[in-house]
Amino acid sequence: MSSATTPPDSDPTGRRQVHSMLKLYYGMNEEGKVESLDPCDINGPHFDPEVYLNKLRKECSLGELMDHESCTVKQIRSLDSDMQTLVYENYNKFISATDTIRKMKNDFKKMEDEMDCLSANMAAITEFSAHISGTLQDQHAQITKLSGVHTLLRKLQFLFELPARLNKCLELQAYAQAVSAHRRARCVLQQYSHMPSFRGIQDDCHVIMEQLAQQLRQKFRDGGSSAKDLSECVELLLQLDEPAEELCDKFLSHAQSRLEADLQGLEAELIDSLVTDTGGGLVQKTNPGSNPVSPSSSSTTNPFLSPTAGTDILEFIDRGCNEFVSNLCLVIASYQELFINHPQEGELASKKIPEMANGKLHVFVDTLAARYFSLVERRIQEEKGVGDNSLLVRALDRFHRRLQAISKLLPGSAVPSQGTEIVVRAARERIKQYLSALQTFYHDSLTDVRQALAAPRLSVGGASASGGGATSKDATPSLPELLTSLSNFILNQLKSVLASVHLFTAKDITFSNKPYFKGEFCSQGVREGLVVSFIKFICQSSRQYCESAGDRGGSTPPALLLLLSRLCLDYETSTISYILTLTDEQFLVQHHTPVTPVTALCAEAREAAQKLLNHYVKVQGLIISQMLRKSVETRDWVNTIEPRNVRAVMKRVVEDTTSIDVQVGLLYEEGVRKAHSSDSSKRTFSVYSSSRQQIRYAPSYTPSAPMDTSLLSNIHKLFSERIDIFSPVEFNKVSVLTGIIKISLKTFLECVRLRTFGRYGLQQIQVDCHYLQMYLWRFVSDENLVHFLLDEIVGSAAHRCLDPSPMEQSVIEVICERG
Amino acid sequence: MEDDAPVIYGLEFQARALTAQTAETDAIRFVVGTQSLKFDNQIHIIDFDDENNMINKSVLLHDAGEIWHISGSPADKAVLTTCYSKTSESRVLTCAAVWRMPPEWESGSHESPDDSSNNPQTLELLCHLDNTTHGSVACVLWEPMGDGKRVISLAENHVLLWDLQESSTKATISSSATLEGKGQLKFTAGKWSPHHNSTQLATANDTAIRGWDLRSMSQIYCIESAHGQLVRDLDFNPNKQYYLASCGDDCKVKFWDVRHINEPVKCLEEHSHWVWSVRYNHSHDQLLLTGSSDSRVILSNMVSISSEPFGHLVDDDELSDNEESQQEDKGKEPLRDSIIATYEEHEDSVYAVEWSAADPWLFASLSYDGRLVINRVPRALKYRILL
């Protein structure tokens, strides 16, 4: 207010002074005003005129004092004028305020009178209003009553018209309208049914509704109506108090007839394909017999042909899915829509329809699914050809995938899990089929190998008879080739089977992430059931060759034994671990269950290889033994002529041994042999042996010392190791040949011991043995073995000789070198 | 135990023929025939003194020739037959003869065994089994448990049944049979069955085993290729009438039920060379002895096919209830088919093995170098079988 009263033209300094003074007046003490403490500040509160004057007088000159005085006077004057102005203004305002207050006092007095008048008027209005409403009361009650009667009459009219209306609806087939109309009337009719007229209406309605329900049921029963119609039907019937259970049954039986038609279609197809399938199978069976062609083509194509006749499984499953499963899904969906998910009102809700309906639906789905599954399973079982697995896998995948729809629709259903079980069974079956296919394949390959071996063997026989060692070399080199091709065939086949089986676990297949396919299928199914079983089968069938051939006297060609032995050995060294690693990698086998370790399989393979090789040695040894035995047994050794030649049998023995050596050398390494002494060469060797022989049996010809021989030979035996004739051999050529030669020479020895010799008989034996010595030492690991056995033969012959006069060593050498 | 140590006896000559003295039931006695072309052959009668673990021998001269086969009469312990080879005019023929040991050999040998070798006594020839028309004799078989009056000789491909008359000094052929067929057929071994009232005979030729009925002298069964190679020996199970063991050049020992000849009942393959001899123990037919040219003798325990089998393999026809109840007592710890022992005392081929006639736990084996080894069944096994 003070600022407002200050004149606007006053200078800033003056205005400030006014400000501060006002502030001072109102107690608004501005902090930090230091100058106010100064007693010389003329504007400060502590201004002391004495001090101020003293100070001025002390500091200023006269002129200055004069100036100061004039300035001060000026200031005082302006201040006085300001003061006057302010006082004047304030006075004016006060006067005007007093006037205003006086005026207001007069106005209020007038208003009070008007208000009193208003309240009087309002009281009068209230009174009037109460009066009016009092008079109108009666009339209003009458109107309400009249309107009530009007509605009742309209309702009655509706009721009386109902039968006709219903009839009309029936004619127009507007069932929905009819039902809703009837529903509205039903309660009333029920309530007033003791009155004859209402009863008549009710009866009429009943008849009509019965008719309507009949028609609806008829419609429901008719197959042709669409799903939507059907559902409408069901809804109406439900509203008509038709028992829901019956409706469910009817609905389901209706659906069943349609689904059954689908199933029958599938079955018909199944039977068709069955008929054509067996036809195809017959054709297949006749194939291998009529067509024993080249090894690879016949064996690879044959067991792996899929039955092309009839529809393939994918088509079948497709059809099943598209017709049966999708229809089933539709049925389930509409059924659920009708009976289960449908919001129930009123008394319908209390009947627990959803539970009942759900139970029925499950039974229904289960029975139908069971039939469907049995059909599918039959079809899968027919899938015996193991050629293209992808078709089956795709079919199974589709089958499985479509069943997931059911699981979504019907959460508690066992159908999808049953479907998974079928897939699992099919996979298991598949593995078994692959195993048997592999086994047949293996047998076929072996038969092929056998045939391939049989052909050149004939030419070997012919060639060796004519004395050509070179031709036998030309004929047999196919042995390593056969081995590699056989093992490649098997490996490739196994790989392709693995690839086929691998489809089951492919990522895009829905069932591949089921626990079975992640775990058991890989480890127990593929690894154990397929790969390990197959390897075991190879070992086992190889072992069978040893056992069966023993009785029938070498029905298996020896070369095959050798080949199989090498095959098993290769399996032991590398192939098994390779196959298993391959399997483990491909299938990411996690061994939850104990699986056959690689080492066990290797041991088995090695055992088989050993057995086969032993058997090979036995068979080959037997062939040579037989020759030697016959040659010793059939000759009259007492009355033989003086030896001029080495007997042909011995040459044959050496030739056969050489060809066996070549044969074994094709598949097995040389092996270690004891270092040949310097007298291994032919000449020095014969000197060595002759000197030995002289010592050995020369004294026995002198009748005076019969003990010496046995003593000498006993001493000799004391220091030489016992020779196991049919002992296991090592996996190398030398060991094999040693085994064969041991068997042959031991037979020779035993046969000689059973005969009696004349002079020339003994000499012939000497010649023969020397000849054998010349050629056989190079095949064996320890030539002393040959020396020992041959010495024993000559010694025994000398013992069994009536006139033991041995031939000159030089003559023997001449004969041998000539022959 | 020390009783397991074998007793070894060495002959100066090579030998293949060994037999137990069948009629002797008190002393453990074996008879060995030697083979020598240059010297007089001998028959060594070896008495084993079980208590002192000692051998007493006596030597009889057999100057007819080297001995291939020897067998003792079941009725008279002094009578035996030999098959010996005789060389005449550069022709070797194996003949057979019945001999009697001189009565003094027994007393003489005990006093001075050294003398007997210096001045050996000679066998007394009773009669020849004349075979000039039939060829070499492979073996002579006495009628088992007979009265020593009937023998069979197998000569080449003929089976000859002889009657010995006038205290064995005269032999006449009462009946004979001939094996006809392709090639050179020759019997290698034979065995007279102790069952069926001694009316059956089994023979081996090449790989086949044949059974004969001696009443009609006709073949009753034939196991073709019984072995992969030559069949070397046969023996009948003394307690089971249809069971037969055979051995041969395929290193195997096979057991046959002659009623089902398609497959052997069992097959052993333990030897590493030809098996020359197979013998059932006379009392405990699970014990089987085999000798082979791998210089080994193997004693096997074939419980499963014996007359005292274990468990379900009991042959109901042949076991009385009494035996079955005994079986149950033993059943706590049934014995398995197994090899009991392999004897490696020999250093040359073993051509003959024989159980003692007197002691069922004792047996002898003979190798070509003239070494006779007498062994016992291990005591532990013996008690298990007995108790």
Side-chain angles (χ1 to χ4, degrees):
Chain A
M1 194 175 271
S2 62
S3 65
T5 52
T6 35
D9 53 340
S10 63
D11 61 277
T13 45
R15 219 165 57 195
R16 188 166 300 154
Q17 279 169 352
V18 174
H19 266 259
S20 58
M21 276 185 302
L22 280 170
K23 273 175 189 165
L24 206 66
Y25 174 79
Y26 287 108
M28 289 163 71
N29 202 359
E30 273 179 62
E31 289 165 280
K33 293 257 179 184
V34 230
E35 81 262 64
S36 58
L37 289 172
D38 191 1
C40 305
D41 187 358
I42 199 159
N43 293 329
H46 304 284
F47 180 65
D48 190 346
E50 271 322 302
V51 178
Y52 185 70
L53 278 180
N54 286 345
K55 193 186 166 198
L56 279 181
R57 260 181 290 185
K58 270 180 213 163
E59 286 173 3
C60 304
S61 59
L62 186 67
E64 279 170 340
L65 277 175
M66 289 294 284
D67 285 349
H68 199 80
E69 196 234 338
S70 62
C71 177
T72 311
V73 168
K74 229 191 254 175
Q75 277 179 351
I76 289 168
R77 248 178 230 151
S78 82
L79 278 173
D80 275 342
S81 71
D82 277 355
M83 188 84 83
Q84 271 175 3
T85 319
L86 277 173
V87 168
Y88 181 73
E89 270 177 18
N90 281 343
Y91 180 74
N92 276 351
K93 279 176 186 171
F94 187 72
I95 297 294
S96 75
T98 317
D99 287 350
T100 310
I101 289 167
R102 194 179 297 140
K103 207 175 168 187
M104 270 172 74
K105 208 182 255 174
N106 292 337
D107 285 353
F108 269 112
K109 213 166 264 169
K110 214 197 263 168
M111 208 157 74
E112 204 172 323
D113 297 343
E114 277 172 12
M115 282 309 289
D116 284 345
C117 177
L118 185 68
S119 70
N121 283 347
M122 280 310 290
I125 287 166
T126 312
E127 199 180 327
F128 273 121
S129 160
H131 184 70
I132 288 165
S133 65
T135 43
L136 281 181
Q137 190 91 45
D138 292 345
Q139 264 181 329
H140 181 77
Q142 261 182 334
I143 288 168
T144 318
K145 203 175 166 188
L146 280 176
S147 83
V149 170
H150 176 73
T151 32
L152 190 65
L153 282 174
R154 272 182 60 183
K155 276 185 192 166
L156 279 174
Q157 188 189 12
F158 174 77
L159 279 181
F160 289 130
E161 278 175 4
L162 187 62
R165 187 191 284 241
L166 287 179
N167 266 333
K168 202 173 176 191
C169 283
L170 206 58
E171 267 169 43
L172 294 172
Q173 297 197 329
Y175 302 119
Q177 278 179 28
V179 171
S180 68
H182 179 251
R183 230 160 49 114
R184 278 193 276 160
R186 196 164 46 182
C187 294
V188 183
L189 287 174
Q190 190 66 36
Q191 202 179 342
Y192 297 102
S193 57
H194 57 278
M195 288 159 79
S197 55
F198 283 106
R199 160 147 289 181
I201 292 168
Q202 193 184 16
D203 290 349
D204 282 356
C205 284
H206 266 307
V207 172
I208 293 164
M209 287 321 286
E210 208 58 46
Q211 218 173 335
L212 186 131
Q214 213 61 45
Q215 277 193 16
L216 280 176
R217 267 182 230 131
Q218 186 59 43
K219 197 172 160 194
F220 184 66
R221 224 170 283 135
D222 280 351
S225 48
S226 71
K228 201 182 161 200
D229 283 352
L230 210 61
S231 62
E232 196 184 287
C233 245
V234 170
E235 203 170 337
L236 292 178
L237 281 170
L238 269 179
Q239 286 174 357
L240 281 178
D241 265 359
E242 196 77 6
E245 202 169 330
E246 212 169 283
L247 278 182
C248 290
D249 285 345
K250 271 187 190 158
F251 183 85
L252 289 180
S253 73
H254 180 67
Q256 186 161 15
S257 66
R258 274 187 302 168
L259 289 171
E260 215 124 286
D262 290 344
L263 284 176
Q264 257 148 24
L266 284 178
E267 195 163 6
E269 196 171 310
L270 191 65
I271 289 160
D272 276 358
S273 70
L274 198 70
V275 170
T276 45
D277 234 25
T278 46
L282 280 175
V283 171
Q284 252 183 284
K285 270 176 195 165
T286 53
N287 251 345
S290 63
N291 184 22
V293 272
S294 59
S296 54
S297 66
S298 74
S299 50
T300 43
T301 52
N302 231 331
F304 290 89
L305 257 180
S306 63
T308 43
T311 52
D312 63 37
I313 185 155
L314 190 60
E315 275 174 52
F316 179 85
I317 295 282
D318 245 0
R319 199 177 147 187
C321 288
N322 289 341
E323 291 177 0
F324 176 79
V325 179
S326 58
N327 280 341
L328 186 65
C329 286
L330 271 180
V331 167
I332 294 172
S334 58
Y335 182 91
Q336 282 177 330
E337 189 62 33
L338 286 179
F339 296 106
I340 299 170
N341 298 341
H342 195 68
Q344 307 287 346
E345 314 110 358
E347 74 267 54
L348 286 177
S350 63
K351 288 182 184 167
K352 295 195 172 173
I353 288 175
E355 285 82 353
M356 183 273 302
N358 214 359
K360 274 192 193 301
L361 181 62
H362 274 287
V363 172
F364 169 76
V365 171
D366 285 353
T367 46
L368 278 177
R371 283 193 53 192
Y372 174 59
F373 286 160
S374 77
L375 284 176
V376 169
E377 227 164 339
R378 263 168 65 190
R379 182 65 185 88
I380 290 173
Q381 271 161 17
E382 274 165 42
E383 205 62 14
K384 293 220 170 58
V386 278
D388 190 7
N389 196 37
S390 64
L391 213 58
L392 177 72
V393 173
R394 260 162 57 205
L396 287 176
D397 178 41
R398 200 155 300 180
F399 170 72
H400 188 261
R401 205 186 291 263
R402 291 302 285 262
L403 286 179
Q404 299 313 307
I406 294 186
S407 82
K408 267 177 210 145
L409 279 171
L410 209 58
S413 173
V415 170
S417 65
Q418 279 170 358
T420 312
E421 257 167 52
I422 285 181
V423 173
V424 166
R425 266 204 294 280
R428 277 205 190 111
E429 198 55 39
R430 203 68 180 159
I431 285 175
K432 272 185 210 148
Q433 282 169 4
Y434 271 120
L435 181 62
S436 72
L438 275 177
Q439 289 173 351
T440 17
F441 173 79
Y442 178 70
H443 269 308
D444 289 351
S445 329
L446 281 193
T447 318
D448 293 336
V449 169
R450 207 188 259 246
Q451 278 167 355
L453 282 175
R457 267 195 83 75
L458 287 175
S459 63
V460 167
S464 57
S466 61
T471 39
S472 73
K473 270 184 187 171
D474 289 337
T476 38
S478 55
L479 210 54
E481 286 165 24
L482 277 174
L483 176 70
T484 44
S485 70
L486 176 65
S487 69
N488 282 345
F489 275 151
I490 295 171
L491 205 60
N492 286 340
Q493 201 61 52
L494 194 62
K495 275 183 187 165
S496 74
V497 163
L498 279 181
S500 304
V501 173
H502 194 242
L503 290 174
F504 277 108
T505 59
K507 285 228 162 48
D508 55 338
I509 303 294
T510 45
F511 52 76
S512 67
N513 57 3
K514 293 271 172 208
Y516 170 76
F517 281 97
K518 280 196 157 167
E520 202 195 338
F521 177 76
C522 294
S523 69
Q524 289 305 311
V526 175
R527 191 182 190 271
E528 295 293 298
L530 192 65
V531 180
V532 173
S533 297
F534 180 58
I535 293 169
K536 277 185 176 165
F537 167 78
I538 290 179
C539 297
Q540 208 175 338
S541 72
S542 304
R543 279 205 300 272
Q544 271 167 5
Y545 275 106
C546 303
E547 279 147 22
S548 62
D551 290 335
R552 285 177 223 136
S555 60
T556 324
L560 183 63
L561 292 174
L562 192 67
L563 193 104
L564 284 177
S565 144
R566 182 71 220 190
L567 184 73
C568 287
L569 193 66
D570 285 348
Y571 265 71
E572 191 256 332
T573 47
S574 58
T575 318
I576 287 178
S577 60
Y578 169 70
I579 292 174
L580 284 185
T581 319
L582 190 77
T583 315
D584 287 358
E585 274 170 7
Q586 266 194 22
F587 288 88
L588 301 169
V589 175
Q590 293 151 345
H591 302 305
H592 299 302
T593 43
V595 292
T596 321
V598 180
T599 47
L601 280 180
C602 285
E604 198 166 329
R606 192 180 179 84
E607 192 198 329
Q610 180 77 58
K611 216 164 180 180
L612 281 164
L613 198 61
N614 287 350
H615 193 65
Y616 173 77
V617 168
K618 211 165 170 174
V619 168
Q620 292 286 30
L622 223 129
I623 294 170
I624 295 177
S625 295
Q626 217 69 347
M627 273 193 307
L628 286 168
R629 189 158 77 101
K630 284 271 149 14
S631 80
V632 176
E633 278 179 359
T634 51
R635 200 176 169 110
D636 181 0
W637 291 98
V638 180
N639 300 314
T640 186
I641 51 157
E642 189 170 0
R644 296 177 189 284
N645 281 311
V646 179
R647 284 188 300 147
V649 182
M650 295 303 153
K651 291 181 180 165
R652 182 77 197 279
V653 167
V654 171
E655 266 166 27
D656 278 13
T657 315
T658 313
S659 70
I660 290 169
D661 184 61
V662 171
Q663 194 178 53
V664 178
L666 290 173
L667 293 182
Y668 278 99
E669 295 75 31
E670 181 73 23
V672 282
R673 59 175 90 214
K674 286 192 182 167
H676 290 299
S677 47
S678 57
D679 57 10
S680 294
S681 67
K682 199 170 68 183
R683 264 193 55 177
T684 43
F685 163 73
S686 51
V687 172
Y688 163 76
S689 71
S690 80
S691 65
R692 258 172 71 97
Q693 279 174 17
Q694 291 300 338
I695 297 163
R696 280 275 284 108
Y697 59 81
S700 69
Y701 310 139
T702 53
S704 60
M707 289 293 287
D708 286 5
T709 24
S710 60
L711 190 70
L712 261 171
S713 83
N714 280 343
I715 288 169
H716 180 85
K717 279 173 189 166
L718 214 62
F719 292 107
S720 65
E721 279 182 21
R722 188 189 283 274
I723 301 167
D724 266 338
I725 304 304
F726 290 108
S727 56
V729 290
E730 288 160 29
F731 293 107
N732 59 56
K733 192 179 86 177
V734 168
S735 177
V736 169
L737 263 290
T738 308
I740 293 169
I741 289 170
K742 262 195 312 194
I743 292 172
S744 313
L745 293 185
K746 178 75 175 176
T747 306
F748 196 9
L749 171 67
E750 292 294 340
C751 291
V752 162
R753 283 181 176 184
L754 287 170
R755 302 290 296 181
T756 309
F757 294 86
R759 175 201 219 167
Y760 297 127
L762 170 65
Q763 292 184 354
Q764 182 69 59
I765 293 290
Q766 273 183 287
V767 170
D768 289 350
C769 286
H770 185 73
Y771 182 81
L772 289 180
Q773 221 154 4
M774 277 167 61
Y775 289 101
L776 293 186
W777 63 268
R778 68 189 81 192
F779 298 122
V780 299
S781 60
D782 182 8
E783 58 184 302
N784 287 331
L785 189 89
V786 175
H787 296 171
F788 171 72
L789 280 168
L790 288 172
D791 281 359
E792 196 84 352
I793 292 168
V794 177
S796 289
H799 263 297
R800 307 279 322 138
C801 183
L802 297 167
D803 177 18
S805 49
M807 196 179 235
E808 277 293 314
Q809 187 62 33
S810 55
V811 182
I812 295 175
E813 274 166 32
V814 168
I815 291 174
C816 285
E817 261 151 57
R818 196 180 55 201
Chain B
M1 291 288 284
E2 71 164 317
D3 77 334
D4 284 329
V7 180
I8 298 174
Y9 171 73
L11 284 81
E12 294 89 343
F13 300 105
Q14 290 169 334
R16 307 179 163 255
L18 166 73
T19 187
Q21 204 174 20
T22 324
E24 176 64 77
T25 50
D26 298 329
I28 298 161
R29 190 170 296 154
F30 293 99
V31 180
V32 181
T34 63
Q35 274 198 322
S36 171
L37 288 166
K38 292 130 207 156
F39 309 101
D40 283 340
N41 283 289
Q42 301 164 333
I43 283 184
H44 289 237
I45 299 159
I46 291 144
D47 257 31
F48 179 63
D49 184 348
D50 196 19
E51 282 169 19
N52 301 319
N53 225 26
M54 287 218 339
I55 280 178
N56 294 317
K57 64 157 185 177
S58 36
V59 179
L60 299 172
L61 266 189
H62 180 279
D63 48 12
E66 54 174 5
I67 302 165
W68 289 90
H69 186 265
I70 192 166
S71 67
S73 160
D76 186 346
K77 57 185 173 184
V79 174
L80 54 87
T81 58
T82 59
C83 302
Y84 58 91
S85 60
K86 194 168 69 179
T87 318
S88 57
E89 293 148 20
S90 68
R91 183 160 172 263
V92 182
L93 184 69
T94 310
C95 306
V98 186
W99 309 86
R100 176 183 292 281
M101 298 186 223
E104 312 86 54
W105 66 267
E106 215 164 350
S107 56
S109 64
H110 281 293
E111 282 161 22
S112 53
D114 293 336
D115 292 347
S116 64
S117 58
N118 289 342
N119 186 17
Q121 290 170 302
T122 313
L123 283 169
E124 177 195 340
L125 177 69
L126 292 176
C127 63
H128 284 289
L129 302 177
D130 185 25
N131 62 321
T132 41
T133 52
H134 298 112
S136 289
V137 180
C139 60
V140 176
L141 312 166
W142 289 89
E143 182 182 19
M145 294 167 286
D147 53 2
K149 293 259 161 65
R150 300 213 298 168
V151 293
I152 289 173
S153 68
L154 299 176
E156 296 288 340
N157 57 340
H158 305 287
V159 180
L160 306 171
L161 178 60
W162 303 81
D163 272 339
L164 301 178
Q165 290 150 354
E166 295 162 31
S167 53
S168 306
T169 51
K170 193 174 160 218
T172 52
I173 296 177
S174 66
S175 56
S176 70
T178 306
L179 181 63
E180 305 285 356
K182 285 188 288 183
Q184 259 197 321
L185 295 168
K186 200 171 137 190
F187 288 119
T188 53
K191 204 80 189 178
W192 198 329
S193 165
H195 306 290
H196 311 289
N197 208 13
S198 301
T199 55
Q200 285 189 11
L201 172 79
T203 62
N205 66 297
D206 199 25
T207 62
I209 297 173
R210 286 161 206 277
W212 304 83
D213 189 329
L214 294 174
R215 295 166 296 190
S216 59
M217 285 310 252
S218 59
Q219 183 176 312
I220 47 178
Y221 57 84
C222 175
I223 310 172
E224 297 279 5
S225 38
H227 283 265
Q229 298 171 62
L230 206 66
V231 182
R232 290 280 170 190
D233 198 13
L234 307 162
D235 199 16
F236 279 98
N237 187 317
N239 300 328
K240 289 180 88 174
Q241 55 182 343
Y242 297 110
Y243 279 71
L244 176 70
S246 65
C247 61
D249 285 3
D250 55 1
C251 311
K252 290 175 183 160
V253 178
K254 293 187 179 180
F255 298 88
W256 304 90
D257 180 340
V258 297
R259 295 166 296 183
H260 309 104
I261 57 171
N262 294 328
E263 284 289 318
V265 179
K266 209 161 178 83
C267 181
L268 289 180
E269 195 172 359
E270 303 296 343
H271 285 289
S272 68
H273 203 243
W274 305 352
V275 188
W276 285 77
S277 180
V278 59
R279 287 289 179 271
Y280 275 110
N281 188 298
H282 304 306
S283 341
H284 305 281
D285 54 272
Q286 62 267 54
L287 299 177
L288 189 90
L289 206 56
T290 51
S292 153
S293 41
D294 64 0
S295 316
R296 292 191 180 94
V297 175
I298 292 181
L299 176 62
S300 327
N301 188 12
M302 303 304 297
V303 187
S304 66
I305 49 171
S306 73
S307 61
E308 304 167 29
F310 55 81
H312 61 282
L313 282 168
V314 173
D315 197 345
D316 294 329
D317 298 343
E318 293 173 19
L319 265 188
S320 69
D321 294 335
N322 184 23
E323 275 172 311
E324 272 177 347
S325 62
Q326 278 180 347
Q327 196 55 46
E328 277 163 25
D329 295 340
K330 278 193 273 178
K332 319 164 223 170
E333 213 179 329
L335 290 164
R336 292 288 165 93
D337 287 3
S338 59
I339 293 180
I340 299 159
T342 303
Y343 300 94
E344 310 213 1
E345 281 84 22
H346 292 287
E347 269 148 13
D348 207 333
S349 305
V350 179
Y351 293 131
V353 290
E354 204 62 72
W355 291 94
S356 162
D359 183 349
W361 308 108
L362 203 108
F363 57 88
S365 52
L366 179 68
S367 58
Y368 190 61
D369 55 6
R371 180 181 292 190
L372 179 83
V373 179
I374 297 177
N375 266 303
R376 291 183 187 83
V377 175
R379 188 168 282 182
L381 180 77
K382 174 175 163 181
Y383 289 149
R384 279 190 77 172
I385 292 173
L386 283 177
L387 302 177

